[in-house]
Amino acid sequence: MVSTENVIGVIGGLGNEAMVDLAKKIQFVPGYAQNSYVFYGNSRLAYKPHEVGQPWKPEDEPELRKKATAEHSARIMHFLGCGTVGLACNSAHELFREVMPALPLTFVDMIYETAQSLSGIGTKVLVLGVDSLVNSGLYHRALDQYGVQAVSPSAQNMVKVMSSIYDTGFGIKTAKITPEAEKMLCEVITDECERQGCRAVVLGCTELPLALTAESCACFKRDSLIPHDVKIVDASAVLAGSLVESACAGHLPESDLDFSPTVNTDWFSPAVFILDTLEELVEVQSEIIRLTVKHLDEKGTRLKGSYMHLPTLFAVGNPPEFFSRAKALSGSVSGMHENWKCSLADILEENFSSMSGCF
């Protein structure tokens, strides 16, 4: 295998807005510009809208599909020369902990990194996230390893958290931050801190920091909407720092990757962009999200979860051999200075046409 320069890979897709958010946060980490980046927003890793909140078993079709698609996504990171890889999603960590050891990649585990950052905090820590993440105990076990007691929201408050994320009228996954979602999350934090005596909250879903930003939380504290002394821990920000600190050289496989999907793999060829900076990535992906919402509005519908996003693949900083390898993945390869918006309408139409049952 051929060694490459430091290439940091990010697998998003359980919310392309969360991938944008992580890209923004990486830019605040000293030394980030010394690396190249590959961001793969593979929305097909997520549950379809009608599958969310169901008690799926490992042998059920949605879980088999997610595992096969995760394995495929991890192999793509290897194929594109990544050395260090992280996930812009908390809930997917349990799955990728199974998948990543089979490949020569350094997997930066956001949950363990966040738990380590809270070592010695001296207070109970409330874990906020989707119900599957909270019920899995991923954060509870990780925090316990560092001597930190984790607590979960009540059943009633979990309903509010899920609504703030998934509600098709005001939830974060509609690609809009609404007062209704913010109000619900503030109510949950205040109630749980008063009831359970915790003074730290882990945002254990990468959608949550979109509504609970450092700036908005400062305003919420000022207006007494959340306790002024509660520490809001953004796991995405922890991951951003850990990825840059852990950056290492990747190894391009000597032979071409077999991209033939298995019977369970959910594959849609991504729109590929070769860019110079993370700022450009944020601009392009944010525009794609805006155009996606506009495209669906014109169809009389709206985003109903991560699965409905167009899969995207970004190279930042010219990773070795990316262009030639990306052509094996997609027929749509663009640069920042090309008129990529003109072809996007057709790509979006094809993407949504492939989603039978999602509207």
Side-chain angles (χ1 to χ4, degrees), residues 199-234:
R199 282 297 174 268
V201 179
V202 168
L203 303 182
C205 172
T206 48
E207 261 73 36
L208 294 177
L210 303 177
L212 297 170
T213 66
E215 294 76 16
S216 66
C217 285
C219 293
F220 298 150
K221 290 180 179 182
R222 182 199 63 204
D223 297 337
S224 300
L225 297 175
I226 60 175
H228 68 88
D229 59 343
V230 68
K231 178 181 176 67
I232 305 296
V233 182
D234 181 352

Side-chain angles (χ1 to χ4, degrees), residues 26-49:
I26 288 174
Q27 295 175 70
F28 288 99
V29 181
Y32 83 92
Q34 299 173 12
N35 308 300
S36 294
Y37 296 86
V38 172
F39 276 65
Y40 182 26
N42 187 8
S43 60
R44 302 307 173 92
L45 283 165
Y47 287 124
K48 297 179 182 181

Side-chain angles (χ1 to χ4, degrees), residues 30-223:
Y32 83 92
Q34 299 173 12
N35 308 300
S36 294
Y37 296 86
V38 172
F39 276 65
Y40 182 26
N42 187 8
S43 60
R44 302 307 173 92
L45 283 165
Y47 287 124
K48 297 179 182 181
H50 67 274
E51 296 169 348
V52 173
Q54 303 297 316
W56 302 114
K57 298 177 182 178
E59 63 272 19
D60 290 336
E61 190 275 334
E63 295 299 328
L64 293 174
R65 185 185 71 241
K66 287 177 66 176
K67 183 172 183 181
T69 307
E71 291 171 341
H72 195 70
S73 300
R75 296 204 327 272
I76 287 173
M77 293 289 101
H78 178 209
F79 179 68
L80 295 175
C82 298
T84 303
V85 175
L87 301 176
C89 174
N90 288 271
S91 299
H93 274 67
E94 191 166 32
L95 173 56
F96 275 87
R97 286 174 185 174
E98 298 179 28
V99 170
M100 298 303 285
L103 296 169
L105 302 168
T106 298
F107 178 47
V108 180
D109 193 303
M110 172 163 53
I111 293 173
Y112 284 136
E113 295 290 334
T114 301
Q116 185 178 30
S117 74
L118 289 167
S119 177
I121 192 170
T123 183
K124 294 179 184 177
V125 174
L126 173 66
V127 177
L128 283 190
V130 297
D131 50 12
S132 59
L133 180 280
V134 174
N135 294 337
S136 73
L138 287 173
Y139 267 106
H140 295 66
R141 292 191 294 273
L143 287 163
D144 183 65
Q145 291 183 26
Y146 291 96
V148 179
Q149 181 181 356
V151 297
S152 305
S154 67
Q156 182 179 5
N157 280 333
M158 272 306 316
V159 171
K160 288 186 175 182
V161 174
M162 290 294 285
S163 294
S164 73
I165 296 171
Y166 285 105
D167 189 281
T168 57
F170 61 80
I172 299 168
K173 284 187 179 290
T174 63
K176 299 175 183 177
I177 303 303
T178 63
E180 293 94 332
E182 292 176 325
K183 180 175 182 290
M184 278 189 172
L185 292 172
C186 287
E187 288 173 351
V188 170
I189 290 172
T190 299
D191 181 61
E192 295 296 340
C193 286
E194 291 177 353
R195 204 167 49 81
Q196 302 203 62
C198 41
R199 282 297 174 268
V201 179
V202 168
L203 303 182
C205 172
T206 48
E207 261 73 36
L208 294 177
L210 303 177
L212 297 170
T213 66
E215 294 76 16
S216 66
C217 285
C219 293
F220 298 150
K221 290 180 179 182
R222 182 199 63 204
D223 297 337

Side-chain angles (χ1 to χ4, degrees), residues 320-334:
E321 298 186 31
F322 181 89
F323 180 76
S324 61
R325 289 174 177 260
K327 288 194 294 185
L329 300 170
S330 175
S332 173
V333 180
S334 305

